[in-house]
Amino acid sequence: GLRLTEGRPRLIAAAVGALAMALALSAVLRRGPLRAAARTSGTWTCWLVGYALLGDGLLHTALTGGPDALPDGTAGGPWPVAAAPVLALALSCVPAAVGAHLFTTRARRRLTSSRGLADFSASVRPLLLGVFALYTGALAALLALTGAVLGEPAAYPQALTLGALLLLARLLTVHGHAHAATLVLTAAAAAEATALATVFAGRLPGCGFLAAPVEALVAVCGPAGVPAAACGVGALALLAHATRRLTRASAHAHAHGQARVTASRPR
């Protein structure tokens, strides 16, 4: 819609598209295998997705003295917009839901068939890593597809790390470990916001040193280095946490109990 419209119709297309995506994602997260009883802060998730859409373009233009205009919805404008990774992340909710369903159902089966807690943990850990690998592979394919269709770079580093971070955060939340997920999402969003803030603060007289770390990172890795580093470190932390927490029998007994309580509530 952004590519095929101009002026007010472009604003309407952007608003309708954002609303439709928000409603669809809300439905996915409230029903099905990705639903969670615990409430989580969606503010930082929205920031991370918003940065995937606008952040790299803003960082690039800020380092070159801009931005001189608002984003126009294109990848070649004065403030470039990266629609391909955001579209791929939205479509990746399908493999995420499939993976979450497989992980939950198979872990519950092994909960009843395992001979002990150690046996259960040993059997569930490869299942968790397999679901994680399945999702990242599906997201990589979606990034290639959306990049080709929209004529944009696929943005593999920043989108894959962000997708991995969001998937692990949701799995932990579904199984009763929302605190760690929220903490890491907050830290990743804060890192991205700090990177942008230091670049603009570095324009003040005598404050150029503030932007030096971000400038050095961008010189080596490009603008994608900031979200890839922030989300990548967060995803690794959550992966290590998930391999300890989600391979315990208590995590799946908790999730099973929450599902039974939800199903028994009157409508």
Side-chain angles (χ1 to χ4, degrees):
L2 294 175
R3 299 293 177 83
L4 300 176
T5 54
E6 296 287 346
R8 182 173 294 181
R10 172 175 287 175
L11 295 177
I12 295 174
V16 171
L19 179 61
M21 183 179 292
L23 292 175
L25 293 178
S26 177
V28 168
L29 297 179
R30 290 185 179 183
R31 299 178 182 273
L34 294 178
R35 72 181 184 275
R39 289 187 177 182
T40 57
S41 175
T43 303
W44 302 119
T45 301
C46 291
W47 168 274
L48 292 169
V49 175
Y51 191 97
L53 181 68
L54 300 168
D56 285 353
L58 176 59
L59 181 62
H60 174 73
T61 56
L63 289 172
T64 56
D68 299 321
L70 293 175
D72 60 2
T74 65
W79 181 343
V81 173
V86 176
L87 179 58
L89 286 167
L91 296 174
S92 73
C93 284
V94 176
V98 172
H101 175 71
L102 289 174
F103 178 68
T104 301
T105 55
R106 296 194 178 186
R108 287 177 186 169
R109 291 176 187 172
R110 295 178 185 184
L111 185 62
T112 58
S113 62
S114 296
R115 291 170 292 181
L117 296 179
D119 181 54
F120 174 77
S121 297
S123 64
V124 171
R125 189 173 290 109
L127 176 60
L128 173 63
L129 296 177
V131 167
F132 180 75
L134 175 67
Y135 172 78
T136 53
L139 178 56
L142 288 171
L143 286 168
L145 176 63
T146 56
V149 171
L150 297 179
E152 295 182 9
Y156 290 110
Q158 57 269 51
L160 285 175
T161 52
L162 175 55
L165 176 63
L166 295 177
L167 173 71
L168 292 168
R170 196 64 191 178
L171 285 177
L172 285 165
T173 301
V174 168
H175 291 87
H177 299 284
H179 177 72
T182 302
L183 183 64
V184 173
L185 289 175
T186 303
E192 292 180 345
T194 301
L196 286 174
T198 56
V199 170
F200 286 104
R203 297 181 180 181
L204 298 174
C207 297
F209 67 94
L210 293 175
V214 177
E215 291 174 348
L217 179 61
V218 172
V220 175
C221 305
V226 171
C231 296
V233 171
L236 288 175
L238 284 187
L239 182 60
H241 187 68
T243 54
R244 294 195 306 269
R245 297 293 185 180
L246 299 186
T247 56
R248 295 180 179 179
S250 58
H252 302 279
H254 170 83
H256 183 58
Q258 290 290 351
R260 291 179 63 185
V261 169
T262 302
S264 64
R265 289 176 181 170
R267 298 190 179 185

